[in-house]
Each structure stands twice: as structure tokens, then as C-alpha cells.
């Protein structure tokens, strides 16, 4: 049984469950992957904790992990990029393997035909400040471009907030503009490194360059785990 | 915290989580409803159990309910109509209130401007054979029309199976044809009384008469519970 630590945000978690289902080869209910989704949107804001001295989310995260352990799960997927800043602390606190979303993104980039080189990485201000993607991908031959501070303030941060407030259609234009700016600066692909971003990007016409959807990427990693288990 | 006993099927459960999120007035993650989704697609087939002497699903349902109790949930929603044939047995086995999907559908019909009268009810062969909707709605002034046996075999049962096999687009034509046939026989509204059916219906152009989507209906009932709790 797969454990999904979600609610960050809840729409991204629901979409993760949808993609997990749609990407699983199945002919009937009983062919699908059993999963428990712990969707607790009350987890303190991850970016505020990292950048502004906001409340530590770790105790709430560990409550969710305890719940997934008690449910009998065999591995944990977390459809939120920023929370992977607490990956080591979470992994140290549970015997269950946690699937790392940046590893899943790297596998997805390779699947998209971009196994190395210059890529764009969009994400929350917290994810970018922690250099989550850079730390894990630069050793594998990737060079990560990120939005400028102006692009973050004008496009990415407001776009993510629109999705969290259920205004998905309104999120498309600013998020797509930020992705296009990264491609214009030489990115061969753009990682949508916050699980709200693919929801906004999907609400408009497709972009003319490869995008790495971290919801799909994590769903494929989870399906791979379930097949091997 | 809301408990969701799901996986029947898993795409309908994921869509329930999506609608629960999108129908909740919210400006940020922390405004959304905490929920645990127990998505176990291995629950034995409900229609086969009811009609063909298939394996009893009750033990698997009770395992899910025990899991939701242990997670600290305060109420249970089950986005599967057929399983409500075991409603009394489940409710007798847990102190948590279970929101009945047919009551939620009745509230949705009233919201759609159809508080009584002749309605169509689509569902699995199991749901229709158990007269789940007729039993609960006929005392409230509704008259329920159901698909003919030929329509069930040619349109409804194959349409539901397409959704469970992830072929959502292919499910639209047969399910919409069955809904239109009920409207042509005098139904003022059609209840999509199997949570796979709204997924197929939504994959094509909207129908020209009111349809009661039981995923939305149950999501609204759950939001009502969370607001009152």
C-alpha cells in the first residue's frame, strides 16, 4: 500500500491521485494501486518556515507519517516540492522509504529526452532558496536556471497562490510567462518544481518546449515502486 | 478530519478529493478541509457480490473504516453508490457518522430545482437491483425511472467499465445516450448514481437537462459536515 503525505496543497494531492490512477495500466478497480492519502492542509507554510522564521512544519509532517505507518503503508510519496527541504529529517524518523521528488523529476527529464544540460527550474521561493534541485541535479550534469527575483515576485509566487485559492485558470498566464522566460534564456526543458505549477500550466495551451511535471514524475516513481514491491 | 472510504473506483475517489477542494471556499492551503482517503481498489466487486454470489466486500470495507477511525476522522464519506447497499452494516460497525450518498443526491436535486417528480436514475446493475435510490427517494415525492435491461447491457455497464479501465473519453457516448433515453421518457433530471458515470459524462459536451453528479453531491455534503463540525 502506497502512503501519500499530501494536502500541500490539497488540489495537487488530488491531482496526484488522479495521475497515479490514469498512469497505471488497469482493466478494473482491482488492478489499481492501493493507497492512503493523508491530506492535511493545516501543515504550516513551508516557504514561510524556511524564509521568514514561520512555524516549523516538521511536527505536523511527522504526525502524517505516523498515520501512514499505522495504516500499513510500505512507502511514502509527498506531492509537494518545498517540503523536501525536510526530507532528511522525515526519512530519519521513519523506516518506510520516502520517494524523493527531485529523483523522480530527474527520471522524468531523462524520459523527456533531456538527460543533462541547461534546464529551467520553477518553484516556490523556499524551494529555490534551499537549492533543492541544484544540490541534487548539478552532480548529474544539469545546469539549473531559475526565475529572477522580479519574475518570482510578479509571476511565480502569485501564480502558485492562485492555484491554492482554487483560481486555476488565472494561474496559467503568469506561470507560462515565467516558463517561457527560462526557455528564452537557454533552458532545454523546464521543471515545474512546485506541484501547484503543473495545474496552472495545464489550464491553457501547451508550451512549445518540454516541461517536467513533478506530479506525473512522482506518480510514475510510485507506480515503479508498487510494481517492484 | 473527514474520512473518505475510496478506491471504488480509484479515479472517482481522486475526483471526489478534487471536487472537495474546488468547492471549498479557500484562499490558502490552511483554509481547506483535512481529509484521509483510504483508497483500496482491492475491495471485491460490489455488483458481483450482490447479483452473482461474488465475494462479500464487507470485511474489506470494515478494514478501511477501522483505518479511518485510527487516523482520527470524525465522519466518513464513500464515493461509491453501490457500496451503500452495505450502508446499514457499515454504520452499525462504527460510531462515526457515514454521510449517505443518496441523501446527498436528494439535496443536490433540490439545489438543481428538482425537489420532487419524475427523475432518471443511472447506476450499476447492483445499485438498481437493490433499489437504493427508489427506497430512499420515493417517500420524498420522487418517481424513479431506470434504464431498460437492454440499455444497461449495451450502454451503462460497458460505460462504467471503460472508466474503471482509464478509457474515460470512450465512456461518454454510451453513458450520455442512456441519460438522453431517460430524459426522453419524461425524467426532469437524471441522477448519475455511480461515481464513474459523471467522469464519462464530463468527457463530452454537456447534456441539455439537469444531471445530478453524485461526486459533487457527496463533496457538498462533506463540506457541510466540515463547516458544522
Amino acid at each position: 500500500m502506497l502512503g501519500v503525505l499530501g494536502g500541500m496543497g490539497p488540489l495537487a494531492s488530488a491531482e496526484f491521485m488522479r495521475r497515479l490512477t490514469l498512469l497505471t495500466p488497469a482493466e478494473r478497480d482491482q488492478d489499481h494501486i492501493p493507497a492512503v492519502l493523508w491530506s492535511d492542509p493545516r501543515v504550516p507554510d513551508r516557504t514561510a518556515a524556511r524564509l521568514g522564521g514561520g512555524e516549523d512544519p516538521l511536527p505536523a509532517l511527522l504526525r502524517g507519517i505516523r498515520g501512514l505507518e499505522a495504516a500499513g503503508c510500505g512507502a511514502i510519496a509527498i506531492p509537494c516540492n518545498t517540503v523536501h527541504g525536510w526530507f532528511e529529517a522525515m526519512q530519519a524518523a521513519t523506516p518506510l522509504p520516502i520517494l524523493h521528488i527531485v529523483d523522480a523529476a530527474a527520471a522524468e527529464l531523462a524520459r523527456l529526452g533531456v538527460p543533462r544540460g541547461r534546464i529551467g527550474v520553477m518553484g516556490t521561493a523556499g524551494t529555490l532558496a534551499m537549492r533543492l534541485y541544484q544540490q541534487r541535479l548539478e552532480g548529474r550534469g544539469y545546469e539549473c536556471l531559475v526565475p529572477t527575483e522580479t519574475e518570482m515576485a510578479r509571476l511565480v509566487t502569485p501564480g502558485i497562490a492562485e492555484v491554492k485559492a482554487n483560481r486555476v485558470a488565472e494561474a496559467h498566464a503568469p506561470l507560462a510567462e515565467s516558463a517561457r522566460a527560462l526557455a528564452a534564456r537557454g533552458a532545454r526543458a523546464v521543471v515545474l518544481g512546485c506541484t501547484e505549477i503543473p495545474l496552472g500550466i495545464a489550464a491553457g495551451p501547451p508550451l512549445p518546449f518540454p516541461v517536467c511535471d513533478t506530479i506525473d514524475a512522482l506518480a510514475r516513481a510510485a507506480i515503479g515502486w508498487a510494481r517492484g514491491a
Side-chain angles (χ1 to χ4, degrees), chain A residues 113-145:
Chain A
V114 185
R116 72 190 70 77
R118 184 176 288 187
I119 56 169
V121 176
M122 294 169 65
T124 63
T127 293
L128 301 186
M130 290 186 280
R131 297 179 50 82
L132 263 185
Y133 275 82
Q134 293 90 328
Q135 276 181 358
R136 219 159 168 108
L137 293 190
E138 289 184 350
R140 304 190 197 182
Y142 288 105
E143 178 199 349
C144 299
L145 299 180

PDB file of all heavy atoms in Angstrom, chain A residues 113-145:
ATOM      1  N   GLY A 113      13.821  13.095 -22.850  1.00  0.00           N
ATOM      2  CA  GLY A 113      14.928  13.274 -23.790  1.00  0.00           C
ATOM      3  C   GLY A 113      15.913  14.357 -23.382  1.00  0.00           C
ATOM      4  O   GLY A 113      16.672  14.861 -24.212  1.00  0.00           O
ATOM      5  N   VAL A 114      15.924  14.715 -22.090  1.00  0.00           N
ATOM      6  CA  VAL A 114      16.853  15.735 -21.586  1.00  0.00           C
ATOM      7  C   VAL A 114      17.624  15.131 -20.411  1.00  0.00           C
ATOM      8  O   VAL A 114      17.336  15.413 -19.248  1.00  0.00           O
ATOM      9  CB  VAL A 114      16.095  17.023 -21.158  1.00  0.00           C
ATOM     10  CG1 VAL A 114      17.076  18.113 -20.748  1.00  0.00           C
ATOM     11  CG2 VAL A 114      15.185  17.522 -22.294  1.00  0.00           C
ATOM     12  N   PRO A 115      18.640  14.301 -20.703  1.00  0.00           N
ATOM     13  CA  PRO A 115      19.344  13.598 -19.620  1.00  0.00           C
ATOM     14  C   PRO A 115      20.439  14.435 -18.968  1.00  0.00           C
ATOM     15  O   PRO A 115      21.064  13.981 -18.003  1.00  0.00           O
ATOM     16  CB  PRO A 115      19.939  12.383 -20.334  1.00  0.00           C
ATOM     17  CG  PRO A 115      20.181  12.864 -21.731  1.00  0.00           C
ATOM     18  CD  PRO A 115      19.107  13.879 -22.033  1.00  0.00           C
ATOM     19  N   ARG A 116      20.716  15.634 -19.482  1.00  0.00           N
ATOM     20  CA  ARG A 116      21.701  16.545 -18.889  1.00  0.00           C
ATOM     21  C   ARG A 116      21.557  17.891 -19.572  1.00  0.00           C
ATOM     22  O   ARG A 116      20.731  18.038 -20.484  1.00  0.00           O
ATOM     23  CB  ARG A 116      23.132  15.998 -19.071  1.00  0.00           C
ATOM     24  CG  ARG A 116      23.657  16.075 -20.526  1.00  0.00           C
ATOM     25  CD  ARG A 116      24.957  15.325 -20.705  1.00  0.00           C
ATOM     26  NE  ARG A 116      24.739  13.893 -20.611  1.00  0.00           N
ATOM     27  CZ  ARG A 116      24.207  13.129 -21.584  1.00  0.00           C
ATOM     28  NH1 ARG A 116      23.831  13.682 -22.740  1.00  0.00           N
ATOM     29  NH2 ARG A 116      24.034  11.835 -21.441  1.00  0.00           N
ATOM     30  N   GLY A 117      22.359  18.874 -19.155  1.00  0.00           N
ATOM     31  CA  GLY A 117      22.362  20.162 -19.842  1.00  0.00           C
ATOM     32  C   GLY A 117      21.624  21.248 -19.072  1.00  0.00           C
ATOM     33  O   GLY A 117      21.266  21.076 -17.893  1.00  0.00           O
ATOM     34  N   ARG A 118      21.391  22.352 -19.755  1.00  0.00           N
ATOM     35  CA  ARG A 118      20.784  23.527 -19.117  1.00  0.00           C
ATOM     36  C   ARG A 118      19.265  23.366 -19.032  1.00  0.00           C
ATOM     37  O   ARG A 118      18.599  23.208 -20.059  1.00  0.00           O
ATOM     38  CB  ARG A 118      21.151  24.774 -19.923  1.00  0.00           C
ATOM     39  CG  ARG A 118      20.665  26.058 -19.302  1.00  0.00           C
ATOM     40  CD  ARG A 118      21.127  27.273 -20.088  1.00  0.00           C
ATOM     41  NE  ARG A 118      22.556  27.506 -19.910  1.00  0.00           N
ATOM     42  CZ  ARG A 118      23.190  28.578 -20.379  1.00  0.00           C
ATOM     43  NH1 ARG A 118      22.527  29.505 -21.063  1.00  0.00           N
ATOM     44  NH2 ARG A 118      24.491  28.738 -20.170  1.00  0.00           N
ATOM     45  N   ILE A 119      18.729  23.422 -17.822  1.00  0.00           N
ATOM     46  CA  ILE A 119      17.278  23.317 -17.631  1.00  0.00           C
ATOM     47  C   ILE A 119      16.805  24.486 -16.775  1.00  0.00           C
ATOM     48  O   ILE A 119      17.582  25.103 -16.039  1.00  0.00           O
ATOM     49  CB  ILE A 119      16.877  21.990 -16.939  1.00  0.00           C
ATOM     50  CG1 ILE A 119      17.620  21.840 -15.592  1.00  0.00           C
ATOM     51  CG2 ILE A 119      17.148  20.791 -17.850  1.00  0.00           C
ATOM     52  CD1 ILE A 119      17.093  20.719 -14.725  1.00  0.00           C
ATOM     53  N   GLY A 120      15.536  24.797 -16.895  1.00  0.00           N
ATOM     54  CA  GLY A 120      14.925  25.793 -16.026  1.00  0.00           C
ATOM     55  C   GLY A 120      14.267  25.097 -14.850  1.00  0.00           C
ATOM     56  O   GLY A 120      13.761  23.976 -14.994  1.00  0.00           O
ATOM     57  N   VAL A 121      14.287  25.715 -13.678  1.00  0.00           N
ATOM     58  CA  VAL A 121      13.611  25.161 -12.506  1.00  0.00           C
ATOM     59  C   VAL A 121      12.726  26.234 -11.904  1.00  0.00           C
ATOM     60  O   VAL A 121      13.213  27.272 -11.433  1.00  0.00           O
ATOM     61  CB  VAL A 121      14.622  24.649 -11.448  1.00  0.00           C
ATOM     62  CG1 VAL A 121      13.873  24.162 -10.202  1.00  0.00           C
ATOM     63  CG2 VAL A 121      15.485  23.530 -12.015  1.00  0.00           C
ATOM     64  N   MET A 122      11.418  25.998 -11.960  1.00  0.00           N
ATOM     65  CA  MET A 122      10.480  26.883 -11.283  1.00  0.00           C
ATOM     66  C   MET A 122      10.103  26.240  -9.949  1.00  0.00           C
ATOM     67  O   MET A 122      10.123  25.016  -9.814  1.00  0.00           O
ATOM     68  CB  MET A 122       9.215  27.064 -12.129  1.00  0.00           C
ATOM     69  CG  MET A 122       9.465  27.793 -13.431  1.00  0.00           C
ATOM     70  SD  MET A 122       8.044  27.720 -14.569  1.00  0.00           S
ATOM     71  CE  MET A 122       6.822  28.646 -13.635  1.00  0.00           C
ATOM     72  N   GLY A 123       9.748  27.049  -8.968  1.00  0.00           N
ATOM     73  CA  GLY A 123       9.366  26.502  -7.670  1.00  0.00           C
ATOM     74  C   GLY A 123       8.982  27.636  -6.742  1.00  0.00           C
ATOM     75  O   GLY A 123       8.992  28.812  -7.128  1.00  0.00           O
ATOM     76  N   THR A 124       8.657  27.281  -5.509  1.00  0.00           N
ATOM     77  CA  THR A 124       8.387  28.319  -4.523  1.00  0.00           C
ATOM     78  C   THR A 124       9.704  29.014  -4.169  1.00  0.00           C
ATOM     79  O   THR A 124      10.798  28.479  -4.405  1.00  0.00           O
ATOM     80  CB  THR A 124       7.811  27.737  -3.218  1.00  0.00           C
ATOM     81  OG1 THR A 124       8.809  26.874  -2.640  1.00  0.00           O
ATOM     82  CG2 THR A 124       6.531  26.950  -3.456  1.00  0.00           C
ATOM     83  N   ALA A 125       9.588  30.199  -3.576  1.00  0.00           N
ATOM     84  CA  ALA A 125      10.784  30.910  -3.118  1.00  0.00           C
ATOM     85  C   ALA A 125      11.559  30.046  -2.123  1.00  0.00           C
ATOM     86  O   ALA A 125      12.799  30.064  -2.096  1.00  0.00           O
ATOM     87  CB  ALA A 125      10.386  32.248  -2.482  1.00  0.00           C
ATOM     88  N   GLY A 126      10.844  29.233  -1.337  1.00  0.00           N
ATOM     89  CA  GLY A 126      11.516  28.345  -0.379  1.00  0.00           C
ATOM     90  C   GLY A 126      12.340  27.278  -1.086  1.00  0.00           C
ATOM     91  O   GLY A 126      13.505  27.047  -0.748  1.00  0.00           O
ATOM     92  N   THR A 127      11.749  26.626  -2.079  1.00  0.00           N
ATOM     93  CA  THR A 127      12.452  25.572  -2.829  1.00  0.00           C
ATOM     94  C   THR A 127      13.709  26.125  -3.500  1.00  0.00           C
ATOM     95  O   THR A 127      14.776  25.497  -3.467  1.00  0.00           O
ATOM     96  CB  THR A 127      11.505  24.959  -3.888  1.00  0.00           C
ATOM     97  OG1 THR A 127      10.470  24.266  -3.201  1.00  0.00           O
ATOM     98  CG2 THR A 127      12.228  24.000  -4.823  1.00  0.00           C
ATOM     99  N   LEU A 128      13.577  27.317  -4.097  1.00  0.00           N
ATOM    100  CA  LEU A 128      14.729  27.879  -4.801  1.00  0.00           C
ATOM    101  C   LEU A 128      15.808  28.326  -3.819  1.00  0.00           C
ATOM    102  O   LEU A 128      17.003  28.110  -4.052  1.00  0.00           O
ATOM    103  CB  LEU A 128      14.286  29.024  -5.718  1.00  0.00           C
ATOM    104  CG  LEU A 128      13.254  28.637  -6.804  1.00  0.00           C
ATOM    105  CD1 LEU A 128      12.990  29.802  -7.746  1.00  0.00           C
ATOM    106  CD2 LEU A 128      13.676  27.398  -7.589  1.00  0.00           C
ATOM    107  N   ALA A 129      15.398  28.925  -2.695  1.00  0.00           N
ATOM    108  CA  ALA A 129      16.383  29.377  -1.703  1.00  0.00           C
ATOM    109  C   ALA A 129      17.152  28.197  -1.113  1.00  0.00           C
ATOM    110  O   ALA A 129      18.341  28.294  -0.817  1.00  0.00           O
ATOM    111  CB  ALA A 129      15.678  30.166  -0.585  1.00  0.00           C
ATOM    112  N   MET A 130      16.477  27.061  -0.955  1.00  0.00           N
ATOM    113  CA  MET A 130      17.152  25.880  -0.409  1.00  0.00           C
ATOM    114  C   MET A 130      18.026  25.193  -1.449  1.00  0.00           C
ATOM    115  O   MET A 130      18.729  24.235  -1.110  1.00  0.00           O
ATOM    116  CB  MET A 130      16.104  24.870   0.088  1.00  0.00           C
ATOM    117  CG  MET A 130      15.380  25.331   1.318  1.00  0.00           C
ATOM    118  SD  MET A 130      14.272  24.025   1.958  1.00  0.00           S
ATOM    119  CE  MET A 130      12.848  24.173   0.909  1.00  0.00           C
ATOM    120  N   ARG A 131      17.915  25.610  -2.716  1.00  0.00           N
ATOM    121  CA  ARG A 131      18.650  24.984  -3.820  1.00  0.00           C
ATOM    122  C   ARG A 131      18.403  23.473  -3.885  1.00  0.00           C
ATOM    123  O   ARG A 131      19.313  22.694  -4.165  1.00  0.00           O
ATOM    124  CB  ARG A 131      20.165  25.288  -3.717  1.00  0.00           C
ATOM    125  CG  ARG A 131      20.471  26.785  -3.845  1.00  0.00           C
ATOM    126  CD  ARG A 131      21.966  27.110  -3.709  1.00  0.00           C
ATOM    127  NE  ARG A 131      22.821  26.297  -4.548  1.00  0.00           N
ATOM    128  CZ  ARG A 131      23.059  26.519  -5.834  1.00  0.00           C
ATOM    129  NH1 ARG A 131      22.498  27.554  -6.430  1.00  0.00           N
ATOM    130  NH2 ARG A 131      23.850  25.720  -6.521  1.00  0.00           N
ATOM    131  N   LEU A 132      17.134  23.070  -3.645  1.00  0.00           N
ATOM    132  CA  LEU A 132      16.757  21.655  -3.637  1.00  0.00           C
ATOM    133  C   LEU A 132      17.137  20.956  -4.929  1.00  0.00           C
ATOM    134  O   LEU A 132      17.686  19.862  -4.916  1.00  0.00           O
ATOM    135  CB  LEU A 132      15.233  21.532  -3.497  1.00  0.00           C
ATOM    136  CG  LEU A 132      14.628  21.298  -2.132  1.00  0.00           C
ATOM    137  CD1 LEU A 132      13.124  21.091  -2.278  1.00  0.00           C
ATOM    138  CD2 LEU A 132      15.251  20.079  -1.472  1.00  0.00           C
ATOM    139  N   TYR A 133      16.804  21.589  -6.062  1.00  0.00           N
ATOM    140  CA  TYR A 133      17.090  20.972  -7.357  1.00  0.00           C
ATOM    141  C   TYR A 133      18.571  21.057  -7.700  1.00  0.00           C
ATOM    142  O   TYR A 133      19.157  20.088  -8.182  1.00  0.00           O
ATOM    143  CB  TYR A 133      16.204  21.604  -8.452  1.00  0.00           C
ATOM    144  CG  TYR A 133      14.856  20.931  -8.503  1.00  0.00           C
ATOM    145  CD1 TYR A 133      13.841  21.286  -7.622  1.00  0.00           C
ATOM    146  CD2 TYR A 133      14.624  19.889  -9.389  1.00  0.00           C
ATOM    147  CE1 TYR A 133      12.624  20.627  -7.640  1.00  0.00           C
ATOM    148  CE2 TYR A 133      13.406  19.218  -9.421  1.00  0.00           C
ATOM    149  CZ  TYR A 133      12.414  19.604  -8.539  1.00  0.00           C
ATOM    150  OH  TYR A 133      11.214  18.939  -8.552  1.00  0.00           O
ATOM    151  N   GLN A 134      19.163  22.242  -7.474  1.00  0.00           N
ATOM    152  CA  GLN A 134      20.571  22.418  -7.827  1.00  0.00           C
ATOM    153  C   GLN A 134      21.438  21.388  -7.116  1.00  0.00           C
ATOM    154  O   GLN A 134      22.296  20.748  -7.724  1.00  0.00           O
ATOM    155  CB  GLN A 134      21.032  23.841  -7.465  1.00  0.00           C
ATOM    156  CG  GLN A 134      20.383  24.943  -8.299  1.00  0.00           C
ATOM    157  CD  GLN A 134      19.088  25.459  -7.680  1.00  0.00           C
ATOM    158  OE1 GLN A 134      18.343  24.731  -7.030  1.00  0.00           O
ATOM    159  NE2 GLN A 134      18.815  26.749  -7.889  1.00  0.00           N
ATOM    160  N   GLN A 135      21.234  21.247  -5.793  1.00  0.00           N
ATOM    161  CA  GLN A 135      22.057  20.316  -4.998  1.00  0.00           C
ATOM    162  C   GLN A 135      22.006  18.900  -5.537  1.00  0.00           C
ATOM    163  O   GLN A 135      22.992  18.182  -5.523  1.00  0.00           O
ATOM    164  CB  GLN A 135      21.531  20.272  -3.555  1.00  0.00           C
ATOM    165  CG  GLN A 135      22.046  21.375  -2.680  1.00  0.00           C
ATOM    166  CD  GLN A 135      21.508  21.243  -1.257  1.00  0.00           C
ATOM    167  OE1 GLN A 135      20.729  20.349  -0.960  1.00  0.00           O
ATOM    168  NE2 GLN A 135      21.921  22.152  -0.393  1.00  0.00           N
ATOM    169  N   ARG A 136      20.812  18.462  -5.949  1.00  0.00           N
ATOM    170  CA  ARG A 136      20.624  17.057  -6.311  1.00  0.00           C
ATOM    171  C   ARG A 136      20.858  16.805  -7.792  1.00  0.00           C
ATOM    172  O   ARG A 136      21.132  15.683  -8.190  1.00  0.00           O
ATOM    173  CB  ARG A 136      19.203  16.645  -5.931  1.00  0.00           C
ATOM    174  CG  ARG A 136      19.144  15.244  -5.361  1.00  0.00           C
ATOM    175  CD  ARG A 136      17.902  15.009  -4.540  1.00  0.00           C
ATOM    176  NE  ARG A 136      17.741  13.605  -4.264  1.00  0.00           N
ATOM    177  CZ  ARG A 136      17.919  13.032  -3.072  1.00  0.00           C
ATOM    178  NH1 ARG A 136      18.280  13.773  -2.042  1.00  0.00           N
ATOM    179  NH2 ARG A 136      17.736  11.738  -2.915  1.00  0.00           N
ATOM    180  N   LEU A 137      20.756  17.861  -8.634  1.00  0.00           N
ATOM    181  CA  LEU A 137      20.864  17.647 -10.083  1.00  0.00           C
ATOM    182  C   LEU A 137      22.192  18.108 -10.669  1.00  0.00           C
ATOM    183  O   LEU A 137      22.588  17.617 -11.737  1.00  0.00           O
ATOM    184  CB  LEU A 137      19.714  18.354 -10.821  1.00  0.00           C
ATOM    185  CG  LEU A 137      18.309  17.801 -10.589  1.00  0.00           C
ATOM    186  CD1 LEU A 137      17.331  18.437 -11.560  1.00  0.00           C
ATOM    187  CD2 LEU A 137      18.285  16.274 -10.734  1.00  0.00           C
ATOM    188  N   GLU A 138      22.900  19.048 -10.012  1.00  0.00           N
ATOM    189  CA  GLU A 138      24.114  19.569 -10.656  1.00  0.00           C
ATOM    190  C   GLU A 138      25.207  18.510 -10.751  1.00  0.00           C
ATOM    191  O   GLU A 138      25.960  18.492 -11.719  1.00  0.00           O
ATOM    192  CB  GLU A 138      24.574  20.873  -9.988  1.00  0.00           C
ATOM    193  CG  GLU A 138      23.580  21.991 -10.362  1.00  0.00           C
ATOM    194  CD  GLU A 138      23.946  23.384  -9.856  1.00  0.00           C
ATOM    195  OE1 GLU A 138      24.879  23.520  -9.035  1.00  0.00           O
ATOM    196  OE2 GLU A 138      23.264  24.345 -10.286  1.00  0.00           O
ATOM    197  N   GLY A 139      25.241  17.570  -9.789  1.00  0.00           N
ATOM    198  CA  GLY A 139      26.189  16.462  -9.864  1.00  0.00           C
ATOM    199  C   GLY A 139      25.887  15.493 -10.997  1.00  0.00           C
ATOM    200  O   GLY A 139      26.713  14.661 -11.349  1.00  0.00           O
ATOM    201  N   ARG A 140      24.660  15.566 -11.548  1.00  0.00           N
ATOM    202  CA  ARG A 140      24.269  14.639 -12.619  1.00  0.00           C
ATOM    203  C   ARG A 140      24.382  15.288 -14.007  1.00  0.00           C
ATOM    204  O   ARG A 140      23.823  14.777 -14.967  1.00  0.00           O
ATOM    205  CB  ARG A 140      22.822  14.190 -12.428  1.00  0.00           C
ATOM    206  CG  ARG A 140      22.551  13.555 -11.079  1.00  0.00           C
ATOM    207  CD  ARG A 140      21.173  12.921 -11.056  1.00  0.00           C
ATOM    208  NE  ARG A 140      20.728  12.673  -9.701  1.00  0.00           N
ATOM    209  CZ  ARG A 140      19.584  12.098  -9.375  1.00  0.00           C
ATOM    210  NH1 ARG A 140      18.756  11.716 -10.334  1.00  0.00           N
ATOM    211  NH2 ARG A 140      19.245  11.922  -8.122  1.00  0.00           N
ATOM    212  N   GLY A 141      25.065  16.443 -14.088  1.00  0.00           N
ATOM    213  CA  GLY A 141      25.289  17.044 -15.397  1.00  0.00           C
ATOM    214  C   GLY A 141      24.235  18.055 -15.824  1.00  0.00           C
ATOM    215  O   GLY A 141      24.174  18.443 -16.992  1.00  0.00           O
ATOM    216  N   TYR A 142      23.402  18.476 -14.902  1.00  0.00           N
ATOM    217  CA  TYR A 142      22.427  19.527 -15.229  1.00  0.00           C
ATOM    218  C   TYR A 142      22.950  20.879 -14.750  1.00  0.00           C
ATOM    219  O   TYR A 142      23.639  20.967 -13.723  1.00  0.00           O
ATOM    220  CB  TYR A 142      21.080  19.263 -14.555  1.00  0.00           C
ATOM    221  CG  TYR A 142      20.307  18.115 -15.163  1.00  0.00           C
ATOM    222  CD1 TYR A 142      20.226  16.885 -14.501  1.00  0.00           C
ATOM    223  CD2 TYR A 142      19.638  18.259 -16.375  1.00  0.00           C
ATOM    224  CE1 TYR A 142      19.505  15.829 -15.055  1.00  0.00           C
ATOM    225  CE2 TYR A 142      18.921  17.210 -16.936  1.00  0.00           C
ATOM    226  CZ  TYR A 142      18.861  15.994 -16.268  1.00  0.00           C
ATOM    227  OH  TYR A 142      18.154  14.957 -16.808  1.00  0.00           O
ATOM    228  N   GLU A 143      22.604  21.940 -15.484  1.00  0.00           N
ATOM    229  CA  GLU A 143      22.832  23.306 -15.021  1.00  0.00           C
ATOM    230  C   GLU A 143      21.451  23.932 -14.850  1.00  0.00           C
ATOM    231  O   GLU A 143      20.641  23.912 -15.785  1.00  0.00           O
ATOM    232  CB  GLU A 143      23.639  24.077 -16.078  1.00  0.00           C
ATOM    233  CG  GLU A 143      23.884  25.534 -15.705  1.00  0.00           C
ATOM    234  CD  GLU A 143      24.268  26.383 -16.932  1.00  0.00           C
ATOM    235  OE1 GLU A 143      24.539  25.821 -18.001  1.00  0.00           O
ATOM    236  OE2 GLU A 143      24.257  27.621 -16.793  1.00  0.00           O
ATOM    237  N   CYS A 144      21.165  24.427 -13.661  1.00  0.00           N
ATOM    238  CA  CYS A 144      19.810  24.897 -13.350  1.00  0.00           C
ATOM    239  C   CYS A 144      19.684  26.416 -13.447  1.00  0.00           C
ATOM    240  O   CYS A 144      20.365  27.147 -12.717  1.00  0.00           O
ATOM    241  CB  CYS A 144      19.411  24.467 -11.932  1.00  0.00           C
ATOM    242  SG  CYS A 144      19.383  22.674 -11.705  1.00  0.00           S
ATOM    243  N   LEU A 145      18.796  26.882 -14.329  1.00  0.00           N
ATOM    244  CA  LEU A 145      18.437  28.304 -14.386  1.00  0.00           C
ATOM    245  C   LEU A 145      17.175  28.490 -13.548  1.00  0.00           C
ATOM    246  O   LEU A 145      16.266  27.655 -13.617  1.00  0.00           O
ATOM    247  CB  LEU A 145      18.105  28.722 -15.818  1.00  0.00           C
ATOM    248  CG  LEU A 145      19.173  28.594 -16.884  1.00  0.00           C
ATOM    249  CD1 LEU A 145      18.596  29.085 -18.221  1.00  0.00           C
ATOM    250  CD2 LEU A 145      20.393  29.417 -16.495  1.00  0.00           C
TER     251      LEU A 145
END
